Amino acid sequence: MVPLDGQAIAEPADVLIEDGVITGAGPAVATGPAGVTVVEGDGRWLIPGLWDAHVHLGQWALASRRLDLSGTSSPEEVLALVRRAAQAGRPVIGTGQRAGSWTRPVTVAELDAVSGGLPVVLINADFHHAWLSTAALDALGLARRDVVVAEAEWFEAYPRVASFETPADPADYQRVLGQAAAQGIVGLVDFEFDTPWTDWARRWPEGCDSLRIRWSPYAGQLDSVRAAGLRTGEALPATGSDGRLTVGSLKIISDGSLGTRTAWCRQPYADTGGFGAPNQTAAELADIIAAGHQSGLSVATHAIGDEALETALAAYAATGARGSIEHAQLTTSQALADLARLGLVASVQPAHLLDDHETMDRVWTDRVERCFTLRSMLDAGIGVAFGSDAPVAPLDPWLAIASAVHRGQPGDEPWHPEQSITAAEAIAASVDGRRVAAGQPADVALLDADPLAADAAGLASMRVALTVVAGRVVHEGRPG
Ligand SMILES: [Zn+2]
């Protein structure tokens, strides 16, 4: 077993699982009743099953159908790919471009010039804006313009983009859930935008029930959540009561993103001179958080900039709400102290560091030492939970873990290594507080290599031999 809390590595151990629960763990555990199925670990390394604490699963399931723009580095490269895709004569939905790293703003006119009059929607990697052709603006009921559609206007319009593409079906969900299981994932927090809980209740019996899922409502769904009597931690109605499909936190997006320069900061961005912006007034934010709290929901508030973070923390303090801050990409010493004092979880996506560090060096030049402050968070006693924010980054827990430890791609010079954490700490931030111990849910992953001894490349590409959720095998790899 991999020691996550600093104790010395014990000799090879046995783990006994009965009825979805670990009933024994340690050297030479009695096998209990006859007829126990024995799975040989062959000296592999066992960890609690991994969680991704921040996923947009519908987006991730659809990503493989969309035009992949993640490999582009300029508007010109994007336009060339759109020109080719538009030759098929169908609307083009593209995703993954990183406009935050481009050296110029784009225009609708240049997109129209390559899109042959078709609706084209190019969703930026951070999801906080999209570059639309005039035909797409018209079809989605948006005013014509010559700039991108961003933030609240974009989030409001996004659900209508579904009219241009085939929706993700159960097979798409089964595929991405299976891929997650193959990486040792046992649970996902699904922050898909504005999807009713009934979507999951319908999908669950359609073979999409392999992992634990926490479904998370957005503020606009609060009335329907109250009407259905849904509270954080409870099983969704009609999906069985074994607790694998539950209500998560109320999700609130309080500011924008670095890539769109809308993350709300205390100091201006070096390139635009703007400060970003909040999506609500401080009073409105506190009202929504209070409403969620009073409805029995924990609250997950997206806050990337330091001003957004401190504003959100003040609202939690005033309302007594519990839950998490999502991203917490730019912190202050005051915010770290408040996160710890309020007992809120910092839900962080370490792999964003790989995509963002050049932009942070350029536009947050005066505050880079306050970005992705994982070491400071742990030292302050803050509970940290890792996620991917897929599809913003790939749904890959090992990429997140390796990014947190090595602060860069394997082989890169670490970016601000003073904020590195250990592999044991990074795994502990990825297991939803679980341990391999008697009385814990039987959610485990068996690794082909010792993650605490792996180098950067080995950690980022960890092979998983077996994944078990509530005692049920959901992934079994070939012997490595
Ligand atoms: Zn997200």
Side-chain angles (χ1 to χ4, degrees), residues 275-286:
F275 290 81
N279 290 334
Q280 311 86 6
T281 66
E284 287 166 347
L285 178 63

Side-chain angles (χ1 to χ4, degrees), residues 223-237:
D223 287 343
S224 62
V225 166
R226 281 205 205 95
L230 303 180
R231 300 168 71 88
T232 293
E234 293 177 355
L236 281 186

Side-chain angles (χ1 to χ4, degrees), residues 188-206:
L188 302 170
V189 177
D190 187 13
F191 284 127
E192 188 53 67
F193 303 101
D194 282 319
T195 51
W197 64 270
T198 45
D199 279 14
W200 264 113
R202 189 193 66 244
R203 191 179 298 136
W204 191 252
E206 293 177 331

